[in-house]
Amino acid sequence: MPHIDDLFDSPYLKAGNLQADGDEVTISDIQKQNIGPENKPKPVVYVKEFDRPLILNKTNAKAIIKQFGKETEDWIGEKIYLRRDKTEWQGEIVDCIRVSDEAPKRRAKK
């Protein structure tokens, strides 16, 4: 049975695309793309491990800047960790992706 996020096709990475305990990914490119109905330009991060890029919000941008600095060309080839989280958006609690500098904690298999 498919995951519900796979039924709502999106060209961008969503929380449901990640493993439950997060994913280590390698930054391969950063571009600016027009996003959403307002067609606003936003930074988009491509990673080697997924076919879909991550739309970079300010919170996640600050997390990457803290690790690698403000020059985006310095980010290429660097590893980051993506994890599922929750955030408030338009008065609702929704799933989101957060960038972390800590590796996901894997549960031991029984």
Side-chain angles (χ1 to χ4, degrees):
M1 202 52 98
H3 188 283
I4 189 67
D5 285 339
D6 294 333
L7 299 176
F8 293 97
D9 196 26
S10 170
Y12 301 102
L13 199 57
K14 297 183 284 187
N17 299 128
L18 301 178
Q19 294 182 57
D21 53 0
D23 287 277
E24 178 182 52
V25 297
T26 307
I27 298 173
S28 59
D29 196 12
I30 299 98
Q31 298 179 5
K32 192 179 264 191
Q33 295 181 3
N34 293 332
I35 307 289
E38 307 89 30
N39 214 23
K40 291 176 108 177
K42 296 192 179 234
V44 175
V45 173
Y46 288 82
V47 298
K48 292 180 181 177
E49 293 76 10
F50 288 98
D51 293 334
R52 303 170 187 206
L54 172 68
I55 299 171
L56 196 61
N57 60 27
K58 288 184 180 182
T59 301
N60 287 336
K62 288 178 183 179
I64 297 173
I65 289 166
K66 182 178 175 185
Q67 294 179 68
F68 308 118
K70 291 185 177 184
E71 291 296 331
T72 58
E73 66 186 39
D74 294 340
W75 301 0
I76 306 299
E78 295 292 350
K79 293 193 180 300
I80 57 174
Y81 303 99
L82 303 180
R83 62 178 173 80
R84 296 180 189 184
D85 204 350
K86 301 279 186 188
T87 191
E88 185 176 341
W89 183 70
Q90 296 185 345
E92 300 285 328
I93 301 298
V94 297
D95 293 330
C96 70
I97 295 174
R98 290 289 180 232
V99 172
S100 175
D101 58 356
E102 294 183 17
K105 294 173 177 54
R106 305 282 182 209
R107 295 182 191 164
K109 293 184 180 182
K110 295 181 180 184

